[in-house]
Amino acid sequence: MILVLRALGVGDLATAVPALRAVQRAARPGERVALAAPAWLSPLVELVGGLDLVPTAGLTGVTWDLPAPRLAVNLHGCGPESHRLLASAHPGVLWAFANAGAGHPGGPAWSEEDHEVHRWCRLTGHYGAPADPADLALTVPSPVAATGLTIVHPGAKSPTRRWPARRYAEVARSLVARGHDVVVTGSDDEAAAATWIAGEAGLAPGAVLAGRTGVGELAALVAHARLVISGDTGIAHLASAYATPSVVLFGPMSPGRWGPPPRAYHRAIWHGTRAEPGDAPGPDPHPALLRITAREVLEAADAAVSLRCP
């Protein structure tokens, strides 16, 4: 058995797909590849294909109820916590970034400058399992709603990555005028903001899908969508996985670290001067995000849709 750790979110799983596929190719015939990840990601894990899910909510309090793996692969972080968690499963071999403090001095050196997709491809490649950074595609699920929708997704994990709601409303209203069938998505916690945006944009109540879609339904929406407009968050990586035209708005983090693949129909907008190591503190959108105007988002949307090859 091979045990892989990636106990994070939607975007984290989507960006690890090329490396996961490299690990699958390294498996012996008939060998199980088990992914330790949150249970709520199960529908997305199924869309990757060929993985058994081992549910885990994080890095603490985990007790492995499985045979010692032949190989463990750390696609979670640079350690030491994640290294030690995998070591507690007693693998024969560990693939991970070098971390002497976790008793793993071998492996490649961690670099904060890596793009998230390339980081994990570099790791597996170091151990003789080359990965293709462009191998991001997920299985296309059946539609769960109308096809050809334009998805506006205003939410993000932290306030610093959330573009102002009034600007999303302006963009949504203008897209409707351009002939787009717009829906607003988000989590349960984002439903109120999504409802406000839809109202300001003149959308019907049924256009508010926030709080009404699990991760599987969200993937289906994106797979059959006309366009996705969002901040730097998980749905942007689903757009990359399904080659759906997208406009992604970046604030504290540069698209050089988390941006979409270099395709003409994926448009990343960033007005920052340096990439910060993570979400900036504070309750307000990052200054780089506030420099993005509704007009340039609409121009990028027009370009993304026009450049998508049929």
Side-chain angles (χ1 to χ4, degrees), residues 163 166-176 229 294 297-298:
W163 201 45
R166 59 182 174 80
R167 299 191 195 179
Y168 273 115
E170 181 180 349
V171 166
R173 185 167 55 250
S174 297
L175 288 171
V176 170
I229 296 179
V297 172
L298 289 165

Side-chain angles (χ1 to χ4, degrees), residues 5 59 64 74-88 94 102:
L5 178 66
L59 301 185
W64 301 115
N74 188 350
L75 300 184
H76 187 93
C78 59
E81 293 85 0
S82 51
H83 286 41
R84 290 170 181 159
L85 176 58
L86 283 172
S88 72
L94 174 64

Side-chain angles (χ1 to χ4, degrees), residues 38-220:
W40 62 270
L41 282 176
S42 176
L44 197 58
V45 173
E46 292 178 7
L47 296 175
V48 177
L51 299 168
D52 293 333
L53 179 65
V54 177
T56 179
L59 301 185
T60 59
V62 175
T63 301
W64 301 115
D65 184 19
L66 42 77
R70 174 181 69 87
L71 167 65
V73 184
N74 188 350
L75 300 184
H76 187 93
C78 59
E81 293 85 0
S82 51
H83 286 41
R84 290 170 181 159
L85 176 58
L86 283 172
S88 72
H90 306 294
V93 179
L94 174 64
W95 289 3
F97 283 103
N99 190 303
H104 188 75
W110 177 273
S111 172
E112 287 291 345
E113 301 307 313
D114 280 345
H115 187 284
E116 191 69 7
V117 173
H118 293 265
R119 167 178 288 126
W120 306 113
C121 292
R122 182 165 66 85
L123 176 68
T124 63
H126 174 86
Y127 288 102
D132 177 4
D135 187 13
L136 295 163
L138 299 173
T139 300
V140 178
S142 300
V144 295
T147 61
L149 299 173
T150 287
I151 300 171
V152 172
H153 189 93
K157 183 172 67 174
S158 71
T160 58
R161 287 190 279 137
R162 296 176 198 154
W163 201 45
R166 59 182 174 80
R167 299 191 195 179
Y168 273 115
E170 181 180 349
V171 166
R173 185 167 55 250
S174 297
L175 288 171
V176 170
R178 286 164 158 80
H180 289 251
D181 188 359
V182 177
V183 295
V184 187
T185 57
S187 66
D188 290 343
D189 293 340
E190 295 159 353
T195 299
W196 184 90
I197 289 168
E200 289 294 303
L203 304 179
V208 180
L209 301 183
R212 296 168 51 194
T213 56
V215 65
E217 291 83 5
L218 185 64

Side-chain angles (χ1 to χ4, degrees), residues 17 37 79 95 135 184 205-206 213 240 249 261 266 282 288 292 294 296 310:
V17 166
W95 289 3
D135 187 13
V184 187
T213 56
S240 296
L249 317 182
H266 294 316
I292 299 173
E296 64 182 313

